[in-house]
Amino acid sequence: MSAEVVLQTEVVGRRNEHLYFALRNPKVAIGLGIVLALLVLGLVGPFFLSDSPNEYVGPKSEAPSGEYWLGTTYFGQDVFTQFVHGLRSSYLVGALGGGISFVIGLAIGFAAGYRGGMVDEILNMITNVVLVLPALAVLIVISSYLEVRGVVTQAVIIGIFSWPWVARAVRAQTFTLRNRDYVDLARLTGKRAPQIIMREIMPNMASYLLMSVILLFGGAILFAAMLDFIGLGPTNAVSLGTMMQQSMAWSSLHLGMWWWFVPPGLAITLIVGALYITNVGLDEVFNPKLREM
Amino acid sequence: MTLEVEDLQVHYRTMKGDVRALDGVSFSLADGEIVGLAGESGCGKTTLGKSLIRLDGRMQHVGGKAVLDGAELPIGDDRAMNTHRWKEVSIIPQYSMSALNPTRKIGKMIAELLRSRGKSYREIKGELVHRLELVGLSEKVLDNYPIELSGGMKQRVVMVLSTLLDPSLLIADEVTSALDVTNQKAVAETLVRFRDMGFVKSMIVVTHDLSLVYQIADTIMIMYAGRIVEKAPAETIIKAPKHPYTKALIGALPEVGLEHGDERLQSIPGKPPQLLNPPTGCRFRDRCPLASDECAEEPPVVAVDAGHEVSCWKAED
Amino acid sequence: MGRYFRRKLLIYGLTFFIAVSINFAVPRLMPGDPVARMLTRNSVSNLESSEAMRGYFNDIFGLDVPLWKQYLNYWVALFQGDLGVSVFAFPAPVSSVVADALPYTLALLLPSILLSWIVGNAMGAMAARNKFLDNGALPIGYVLTAVPYMWLAILLAWVGGIILGWFPVAGGYSFALTPAFTWTFIVDLVHHWVLPFLSLFLVALGGWAIGMRNLVIYELESDYANYLQALGAPNRLVRRYAFRNAVLPQVTGLALQLGVVVGGALVTEVVFAYPGLGSLLLNAVSNQDFFLLQGILLFIVIGVLVFNFLADIVYVLIDPRTRLGLEGGQS
């Protein structure tokens, strides 16, 4: 096939090559740039601004100015301070929620795909059930029963309900990989299953896993924003979703206070969009076929 | 003379530059001849097969020409090539198992394909059914979806379909590599039978399996690193090879022709040169036990016997 | 085929069972006593409803009864269509409150899901064919899928409702009108429907277009497409096959995406104060009306499962591989 000629020249140093192409891919560069820039803002920003984003610091409902970069809320809170804190919670939810679902999906996918048989039947059934369960509705019911909600709890429950498609994909990939020669060889040399999965199977789907993590990260952020917007956000912190919820609750729309509701949604769109674009770029990096000249 | 290929050069475009998959390949094919094309993977044999019918996206025709039945094939021009495909040049692909559209009934697919090439399904159907029966399939397969057939049945459907319009040249690309030994033999015999019945005039059988091609080919060509290094009647290649690479290939086979050829091939020390910037002179030099100073120069093509050509400085020895 | 449907039905049955069990378990597993919390909170404002709730609570959630019996009672009540009484809309039973809101949600969801699917697939297939179009459509598609549902809704309400003043931004119909089957009312209904519909439609559109584009490209690179091209088939035929085959996974995708789109509909309704399940949900959350909350969840689960099953039937009708009951189809 078409790859055969190329393969023989590039067996060594494939990892470096990927990194090389990744950094030169404009989609990856732009996507990662946006994600990292907003991350830095969320991480560093709060140190320069107030620790309590809900403090009433200025005049009410003021448009953006030199002093209040993104204006103030209906109550006179600084929107920029809230925004920066909100970024922080969004990244936390993304990392934690995405991370948890990734680990669950990975574990279930590997177990089902590698073990096969009865284990697979049961795990696959569970996966399919969670897959059709409308996650947001379930999350709403669960979070509404929580009296105190933190960013971490939110991330955990999001993680618990958004793993199924990763599990499905990992299972399918493991199925195709587990009968490869090198896996057989590893098995013959007496390596145990976890070791084989970690050493032989996982590296061969690394690109795929990386892209799954990115998608889960973005998905968790979107999920959290929706929960927040219904009023089930963290009770002890500001998030981009709660900002939107507050702005709607105090009719910023009718008051024309666009600086209150535009930035949080824009930030989410930017983060998630940039993640998706990074993913497309990575896809091109890992699949030389897509690397158009 | 059915096919005449002259100094064919096909490159793969990669980010690092052009990989010279075919670097000056010339040969000819007589009417009714079956040529076996063998070599390690990556030597360019599949590229050669493809370049005569359809270059895939990253292949580029750089130089040389192919003349079929006296007319030049526009191999670099995908669109112009279309009129020649199937009617004059046809291919049985490596992937016969998945070559049929999974969501169309086989008969319907063939009908649509024929119609798109300006042929009447109704007129050809009689012949189609006849040929299906010839390979042991009943007319009923036309009402089946591909998934309802076994691998071997799909392979036979593809063989019949590819040769339905009696092409002058058929390229059989690794057709047996996915099959077990019994099926391999049956497929090989069918290919010969198609030639004998005049369904195809001549044939290039691309394979890594020397022992199989030995059973059906009249002539065998051995490729190495984008070039043909030896061409001779099948018998001669197996019994009296001249090129050190061919000798190594044959030597790596267990006694006359068995199916493990490919794995044993790797026992030739070293690996083929990369084709991004191929070395000058003989390309087998680094792995060749006989290599000497003169091998730094391009070896000449020597006709050691009637129909037996070798490109090697040591061929005369 | 029978095996395929048996399997599907088993999964759906199990899902329903689990959803109901979650509903049953969550209030009992949560720290504190949320039901009691709800009742005390409510008794301040609405003594009468609180009393009725307590009666209901003792009947079904009776704490003097062992847990397994509570669970059994819960199922029995469920099958009698008894989802409890809404606190917020007292004394209406949950089932009728939900049933009142349901048509609005369906009127938003069904057209936006189906239209975005059809238009998105058509756009994706076009993008796969044309490099120029692809470069323009793809980024827009990615931005659309990345937009949080409520934010696009807010923007549309702001631009189309406040700035341009073309559409109303709140409610399902004007307060001045009473629901009736008159021309005026229907026009008013549609007028209120446009923005929320558009919002849902647009967010979903990008995902379908991108998915279809990738699938068509994948199909065009597949073996059968290569073979057809090697036999000189014109692009027209190859593309037609590729499109047909690429639609199949999109049907499955339609069912899988449903949960997400329903979530999107909920928050979109909240933005537009559209009188469907979303607004009801918001009321339930802010009033801590747990019975209503759970009733809504149950309706959503049932809706999603029914829709999934419909998608399965469609899938079987269009994909011979599942119809033949052989391997190759989706699991």
Side-chain angles (χ1 to χ4, degrees):
Chain A
M1 299 284 294
S2 61
E4 75 184 44
V5 177
V6 185
L7 274 180
Q8 76 185 37
T9 62
E10 296 180 0
V11 177
V12 199
R14 180 150 340 142
R15 204 157 292 185
N16 290 334
E17 187 212 22
H18 281 158
L19 192 66
Y20 171 81
F21 281 121
L23 293 178
R24 288 201 3 170
N25 185 299
K27 295 193 183 93
V28 176
I30 293 173
L32 272 185
I34 295 174
V35 172
L36 290 180
L38 288 172
L39 174 65
V40 168
L41 185 60
L43 282 181
V44 178
F47 291 116
F48 294 94
L49 297 158
S50 165
D51 262 352
S52 40
N54 285 327
E55 218 175 350
Y56 307 129
V57 290
K60 294 177 178 182
S61 314
E62 196 165 272
S65 64
E67 195 176 351
Y68 304 105
W69 291 359
L70 291 178
T72 58
T73 68
Y74 186 72
F75 307 102
Q77 296 144 318
D78 182 26
V79 174
F80 186 65
T81 310
Q82 291 197 334
F83 177 72
V84 167
H85 280 272
L87 276 179
R88 203 182 243 197
S89 346
S90 276
Y91 275 99
L92 184 59
V93 165
L96 204 59
I100 290 171
S101 48
F102 180 67
V103 170
I104 299 176
L106 210 59
I108 291 189
F110 277 140
Y114 190 79
R115 288 266 170 252
M118 207 50 207
V119 177
D120 177 41
E121 282 287 322
I122 293 168
L123 290 180
N124 196 25
M125 187 67 85
I126 296 174
T127 308
N128 280 321
V129 165
V130 183
L131 199 65
V132 282
L133 212 57
L136 189 75
V138 177
L139 291 187
I140 288 172
V141 168
I142 293 179
S143 3
S144 64
Y145 276 98
L146 292 171
E147 227 166 327
V148 181
R149 293 179 298 267
V151 178
V152 175
T153 5
Q154 193 181 44
V156 171
I157 55 173
I158 288 175
I160 290 174
F161 283 94
S162 40
W163 53 267
W165 65 264
V166 179
R168 248 164 84 122
V170 168
R171 166 180 176 264
Q173 293 258 319
T174 310
F175 260 136
T176 62
L177 288 176
R178 74 167 176 191
N179 291 324
R180 293 279 166 87
D181 294 346
Y182 52 83
V183 177
D184 281 341
L185 193 70
R187 215 175 285 143
L188 284 175
T189 54
K191 289 201 179 129
R192 283 178 315 126
Q195 217 177 349
I196 294 175
I197 288 170
M198 293 289 277
R199 294 259 177 81
E200 313 290 339
I201 294 180
M202 232 163 99
N204 280 293
M205 45 199 280
S207 64
Y208 193 85
L209 296 179
L210 179 63
M211 302 203 296
S212 306
V213 169
I214 290 177
L215 289 180
L216 284 173
F217 191 97
I221 290 180
L222 282 180
F223 246 126
M226 283 163 103
L227 277 180
D228 297 350
F229 189 71
I230 291 184
L232 295 170
T235 42
N236 54 2
V238 169
S239 75
L240 296 176
T242 53
M243 284 175 74
M244 278 191 268
Q245 187 242 338
Q246 286 294 313
S247 79
M248 284 310 282
W250 302 101
S251 50
S252 62
L253 209 56
H254 297 274
L255 299 172
M257 293 165 66
W258 53 268
W259 56 88
W260 197 0
F261 58 78
V262 170
L266 187 63
I268 295 175
T269 309
L270 275 176
I271 296 173
V272 179
L275 286 172
Y276 287 170
I277 299 229
T278 309
N279 222 14
V280 180
L282 284 179
D283 204 15
E284 287 170 7
V285 172
F286 293 126
N287 286 326
K289 256 192 176 174
L290 300 172
R291 256 184 241 159
E292 285 294 324
M293 251 62 49
Chain B
M1 213 52 93
T2 307
L3 176 73
E4 191 118 24
V5 173
E6 215 173 286
D7 194 29
L8 189 61
Q9 295 177 35
V10 171
H11 292 183
Y12 272 94
R13 321 216 64 184
T14 69
M15 293 285 270
K16 290 180 178 171
D18 280 6
V19 172
R20 300 167 181 220
L22 290 184
D23 201 6
V25 168
S26 305
F27 65 93
S28 59
L29 206 60
D31 286 358
E33 188 176 4
I34 296 182
V35 165
L37 185 61
E40 284 167 285
S41 43
C43 71
K45 56 189 193 301
T46 293
T47 309
L48 178 54
K50 276 188 185 173
S51 66
L52 292 174
I53 180 158
R54 184 171 174 268
L55 297 166
D56 67 29
R58 300 189 307 139
M59 292 185 199
Q60 204 184 25
H61 175 226
V62 176
K65 59 177 184 175
V67 177
L68 183 66
D69 294 328
E72 188 175 341
L73 285 175
I75 49 181
D77 184 343
D78 189 51
R79 206 167 279 184
M81 198 56 202
N82 237 16
T83 50
H84 301 275
R85 293 186 183 126
W86 200 15
K87 296 177 183 172
E88 286 152 42
V89 195
S90 191
I91 188 169
I92 301 176
Q94 246 168 2
Y95 45 81
S96 295
M97 305 302 149
S98 52
L100 301 168
N101 182 357
T103 57
R104 270 280 194 275
K105 283 183 180 166
I106 290 166
K108 193 168 180 203
M109 196 213 90
I110 296 177
E112 285 173 333
L113 182 59
L114 279 168
R115 214 170 300 128
S116 78
R117 297 301 307 276
K119 301 267 178 190
S120 155
Y121 180 58
R122 213 175 309 156
E123 281 169 27
I124 295 180
K125 192 171 177 195
E127 183 63 21
L128 173 64
V129 172
H130 167 66
R131 291 190 185 182
L132 284 173
E133 278 162 0
L134 211 62
V135 295
L137 295 172
S138 84
E139 191 182 342
K140 265 184 269 164
V141 297
L142 295 177
D143 282 324
N144 285 107
Y145 287 97
I147 198 161
E148 295 173 275
L149 306 187
S150 72
M153 288 163 90
K154 273 185 269 193
Q155 171 111 31
R156 278 176 277 162
V157 170
V158 168
M159 285 169 76
V160 167
L161 177 57
S162 286
T163 55
L164 189 60
L165 301 182
D166 296 347
S168 289
L169 173 67
L170 177 71
I171 294 145
D173 187 5
E174 299 279 11
V175 282
T176 57
S177 44
L179 301 173
D180 59 63
V181 189
T182 359
N183 273 321
Q184 280 183 357
K185 205 163 162 62
V187 166
E189 279 163 5
T190 310
L191 288 177
V192 176
R193 194 143 54 109
F194 277 11
R195 190 259 322 254
D196 294 344
M197 299 184 77
F199 296 169
V200 290
K201 223 193 284 179
S202 56
M203 206 181 290
I204 297 177
V205 180
V206 178
T207 181
H208 62 267
D209 188 351
L210 259 179
S211 50
L212 179 106
V213 86
Y214 171 60
Q215 294 168 22
I216 59 170
D218 306 307
T219 311
I220 292 180
M221 297 194 290
I222 305 291
M223 272 191 90
Y224 185 75
R227 289 184 174 168
I228 292 173
V229 293
E230 186 164 11
K231 179 186 178 188
E235 199 73 20
T236 316
I237 285 281
I238 302 295
K239 303 240 162 91
K242 283 287 184 191
H243 197 284
Y245 176 64
T246 316
K247 284 179 188 165
L249 272 186
I250 307 293
L253 286 179
E255 267 315 296
V256 180
L258 282 180
E259 68 274 16
H260 295 297
D262 194 34
E263 277 144 78
R264 294 302 187 90
L265 282 184
Q266 287 159 6
S267 63
I268 302 174
K271 56 179 185 179
Q274 55 139 313
L275 298 173
L276 200 55
N277 290 303
T280 53
C282 176
R283 293 183 177 178
F284 188 57
R285 195 167 77 229
D286 291 347
R287 302 165 81 185
C288 182
L290 307 175
S292 63
D293 291 345
E294 57 186 340
C295 301
E297 298 290 315
E298 193 73 31
V301 179
V302 186
V304 288
D305 212 338
H308 188 174
E309 292 167 355
V310 189
S311 17
C312 178
W313 287 105
K314 314 285 180 182
E316 307 284 12
D317 304 348
Chain C
M1 187 161 102
R3 187 182 121 78
Y4 171 80
F5 276 117
R6 267 200 302 281
R7 213 186 147 76
K8 285 288 178 185
L9 283 175
L10 178 62
I11 288 172
Y12 298 150
L14 215 57
T15 310
F16 182 69
F17 174 77
I18 286 174
V20 171
S21 302
I22 289 179
N23 253 349
F24 173 82
V26 166
R28 289 167 178 80
L29 290 179
M30 287 299 157
D33 189 345
V35 180
R37 174 156 48 100
M38 170 181 91
L39 293 179
T40 30
R41 187 189 141 108
N42 216 71
S43 60
V44 183
S45 57
N46 192 338
L47 202 68
E48 198 189 353
S49 81
S50 171
E51 277 310 306
M53 293 304 301
R54 202 173 292 281
Y56 179 80
F57 182 72
N58 283 338
D59 272 2
I60 294 159
F61 287 69
L63 294 175
D64 47 333
V65 185
L67 206 62
W68 65 268
K69 198 148 193 189
Q70 291 179 35
Y71 188 55
L72 217 62
N73 287 343
Y74 189 77
W75 273 102
V76 171
L78 191 69
F79 277 113
Q80 289 164 347
D82 180 4
L83 296 172
V85 181
S86 166
V87 178
F88 137 80
F90 188 80
V94 165
S95 44
S96 81
V97 175
V98 173
D100 283 345
L102 203 57
Y104 287 97
T105 299
L106 288 180
L108 273 189
L109 265 180
L110 292 181
S112 58
I113 289 177
L114 293 177
L115 280 175
S116 67
W117 191 82
I118 293 169
V119 176
N121 280 334
M123 281 173 56
M126 272 194 287
R129 184 168 8 200
N130 182 331
K131 192 95 199 119
F132 182 71
L133 202 67
D134 196 27
N135 286 333
L138 204 59
I140 297 175
Y142 276 109
V143 169
L144 284 180
T145 44
V147 175
Y149 276 95
M150 59 281 185
W151 193 57
L152 189 70
I154 293 175
L155 288 187
L156 281 178
W158 183 41
V159 174
I162 308 287
I163 295 181
L164 297 174
W166 291 351
F167 296 101
V169 292
Y173 51 87
S174 302
F175 291 119
L177 298 174
T178 40
F181 203 71
T182 62
W183 191 239
T184 342
F185 183 72
I186 291 174
V187 169
D188 188 58
L189 214 52
V190 172
H191 200 201
H192 281 79
W193 170 86
V194 172
L195 282 184
F197 158 77
L198 197 63
S199 170
L200 272 177
F201 170 78
L202 283 177
V203 179
L205 187 68
W208 296 126
I210 292 169
M212 190 61 181
R213 168 200 176 262
N214 294 344
L215 284 165
V216 167
I217 288 178
Y218 174 81
E219 290 290 333
L220 286 176
E221 277 169 5
S222 66
D223 288 342
Y224 73 84
N226 265 322
Y227 182 54
L228 282 172
Q229 281 165 334
L231 294 188
N235 281 336
R236 205 165 6 94
L237 182 70
V238 181
R239 285 190 198 288
R240 202 171 85 216
Y241 281 6
F243 178 76
R244 227 189 104 96
N245 292 352
V247 164
L248 300 177
Q250 290 287 75
V251 173
T252 321
L254 188 61
L256 291 182
Q257 276 297 309
L258 198 67
V260 180
V261 186
V262 169
L266 297 181
V267 292
T268 304
E269 286 180 8
V270 170
V271 171
F272 290 99
Y274 204 72
L277 291 183
S279 300
L280 204 57
L281 194 73
L282 186 71
N283 282 326
V285 168
S286 48
N287 289 300
Q288 303 236 324
D289 188 345
F290 293 121
F291 291 110
L292 182 55
L293 203 60
Q294 302 195 333
I296 296 170
L297 170 72
L298 224 50
F299 264 80
I300 292 176
V301 170
I302 293 171
V304 167
L305 294 182
V306 167
F307 199 87
N308 263 282
F309 190 63
L310 286 178
D312 289 338
I313 292 174
V314 171
Y315 197 88
V316 166
L317 289 178
I318 56 179
D319 187 350
R321 287 167 292 188
T322 35
R323 189 159 65 237
L324 296 165
L326 292 159
E327 84 278 22
Q330 49 159 9
S331 65

